[in-house]
C-alpha cells in the first residue's frame, strides 16, 4: 500500500505547491510569477544546482557531469538539496516547488521531509505541453546573465538581437538548452516524470493544466487549481 505520510490530509499548515512538467513546460516562469503574487518561496532545484555549479561547491562538482549530459542528478543529491532548503525558516510563508520531485523516489522522500517539518503537499499541478513544442521552446531560450530576464528567439525576442532590453548585457544560452542536449533531457526525464504524475494521481493530489496557453492564462489556471 502506498505511504500517505504527509499527503492528502486537510491542510492546516503553510501551503506547499508542487509544479510538475517537462523541461520547457514553463514551471520556472509560472513558479516565479506565483511566488511573487502569493508571497511564497520559489524553490527551483535546477537553479540551486546551477548556482552550486557556478560556485564550484562539492555538490556542484558532483552534479556537473549529469547536468552537462542532460541526465537527472542522482536522487540522493537532489533529495539532500531539498531537505536542506526546506529546513530553512525563510520558507515559512508557503513554498512552490519547481523541478522537484522528478522521480517517484524523490516524491516519496518529499513526503517524509515535509512531514518531519509538520508540512504536507497542498496541491500538485502538472503543466502539460507537447514534446514538439518543448523542443522548440527550449532550444530558442536565452537569458540575461546579469538580471535573469528570459527571452525566446522566436516567441519573445529582445528588441536588439542578442542584447538584454533592461541593461544591454549580451544574452547567454544555458549549456543544456542546446538542441542536442534538449532532446537528451526530454528522452531521459519524461519517463520518470510520468511516474511522478502517476504517484500524485493515485494520491488524489494532481491537477493538470494546459501549458500551451498564454502565460497569464496558465497562471490563472494554476491559481484556480491551488485555490489561491
Ligand atoms: P531545470 O532547470 O529544472 O531544467 O534543471 C536543470 C538540470 O538540473 C536538470 O536537467 C537535472 O540535471 C538537474 N536537476 C534539477 N532538478 C533535479 C531533480 N529534482 N532531480 C535530479 N536532477 C535535477
Amino acid at each position: 500500500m502506498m505511504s500517505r505520510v504527509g499527503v492528502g490530509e486537510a491542510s492546516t499548515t503553510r501551503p506547499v505547491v508542487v509544479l510538475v512538467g517537462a523541461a520547457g513546460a514553463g514551471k520556472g516562469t509560472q513558479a516565479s510569477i506565483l511566488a511573487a503574487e502569493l508571497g511564497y518561496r520559489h524553490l527551483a532545484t535546477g537553479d540551486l544546482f546551477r548556482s552550486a555549479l557556478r560556485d564550484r561547491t562539492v555538490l556542484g562538482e558532483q552534479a556537473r557531469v549529469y547536468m552537462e549530459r542532460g541526465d537527472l542528478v542522482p536522487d540522493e543529491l537532489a533529495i539532500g538539496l531539498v531537505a536542506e532548503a526546506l529546513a530553512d525558516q525563510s520558507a515559512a510563508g508557503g513554498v512552490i516547488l519547481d523541478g522537484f520531485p522528478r522521480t517517484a523516489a524523490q516524491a516519496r522522500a518529499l513526503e517524509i521531509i515535509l512531514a518531519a517539518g509538520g508540512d504536507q503537499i497542498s496541491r500538485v499541478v502538472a503543466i502539460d505541453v507537447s514534446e514538439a513544442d518543448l523542443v522548440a521552446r527550449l532550444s530558442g531560450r536565452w537569458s540575461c546573465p546579469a538580471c535573469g530576464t528570459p527571452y525566446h528567439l522566436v516567441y519573445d525576442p529582445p528588441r536588439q538581437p542578442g542584447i538584454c532590453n533592461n541593461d544591454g548585457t549580451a544574452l547567454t544560452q544555458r549549456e543544456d538548452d542546446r538542441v542536442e542536449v534538449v532532446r537528451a533531457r526530454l528522452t531521459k526525464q519524461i519517463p520518470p516524470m510520468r511516474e511522478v504524475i502517476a504517484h500524485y494521481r493515485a494520491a488524489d493530489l494532481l491537477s493538470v493544466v494546459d501549458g500551451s496557453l498564454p502565460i497569464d492564462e496558465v497562471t490563472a489556471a494554476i491559481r484556480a487549481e491551488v485555490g489561491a
Side-chain angles (χ1 to χ4, degrees):
M1 202 182 132
M2 189 193 328
S3 158
R4 292 181 59 87
V5 179
V7 297
E9 301 95 10
S11 176
T12 51
T13 52
R14 63 181 176 177
V16 178
V17 174
V18 174
L19 293 189
V20 179
K27 296 187 301 295
T29 302
Q30 293 299 334
S32 75
I33 294 171
L34 289 161
E37 285 184 7
L38 303 173
Y40 293 178
R41 164 134 182 248
H42 174 190
L43 198 65
T45 44
D47 290 347
L48 294 175
F49 278 128
R50 271 186 295 282
S51 92
L53 216 79
R54 267 195 307 275
D55 297 345
R56 300 191 166 274
T57 65
V58 174
L59 177 73
E61 292 310 315
Q62 286 169 320
R64 182 181 301 279
V65 58
Y66 301 98
M67 293 179 72
E68 287 178 351
R69 285 200 303 247
D71 277 327
L72 288 177
V73 170
D75 281 337
E76 57 275 23
L77 296 182
I79 291 166
L81 184 74
V82 166
E84 202 176 307
L86 283 174
D88 177 350
Q89 284 310 309
S90 64
V95 184
I96 183 151
L97 280 161
D98 154 17
F100 188 96
R102 265 177 151 103
T103 65
Q106 291 181 14
R108 289 190 294 271
L110 178 61
E111 285 153 24
I112 293 164
I113 293 167
L114 289 175
D119 285 321
Q120 61 192 7
I121 294 172
S122 346
R123 197 77 200 150
V124 177
V125 182
I127 306 178
D128 187 34
V129 176
S130 78
E131 213 164 317
D133 281 353
L134 293 173
V135 174
R137 283 184 181 189
L138 287 166
S139 51
R141 189 162 77 167
W142 289 66
S143 67
C144 174
C147 71
T149 304
Y151 296 91
H152 192 282
L153 296 188
V154 179
Y155 309 125
D156 182 23
R159 284 192 293 274
Q160 230 187 310
I163 304 292
C164 179
N165 292 345
N166 299 333
D167 54 25
T169 306
L171 303 181
T172 54
Q173 184 180 39
R174 274 171 50 170
E175 256 312 285
D176 60 358
D177 277 349
R178 289 177 298 120
V179 73
E180 61 281 13
V181 186
V182 160
R183 289 191 193 284
R185 282 164 71 198
L186 293 176
T187 307
K188 291 170 182 170
Q189 299 188 13
I190 287 179
M193 180 190 79
R194 293 219 169 97
E195 288 181 26
V196 171
I197 287 174
H199 176 90
Y200 288 127
R201 182 170 285 125
D204 211 12
L205 281 169
L206 185 77
S207 301
V208 180
V209 300
D210 179 357
S212 68
L213 297 172
I215 290 175
D216 56 341
E217 290 181 33
V218 179
T219 308
I222 298 173
R223 284 193 73 147
E225 293 302 330
V226 303

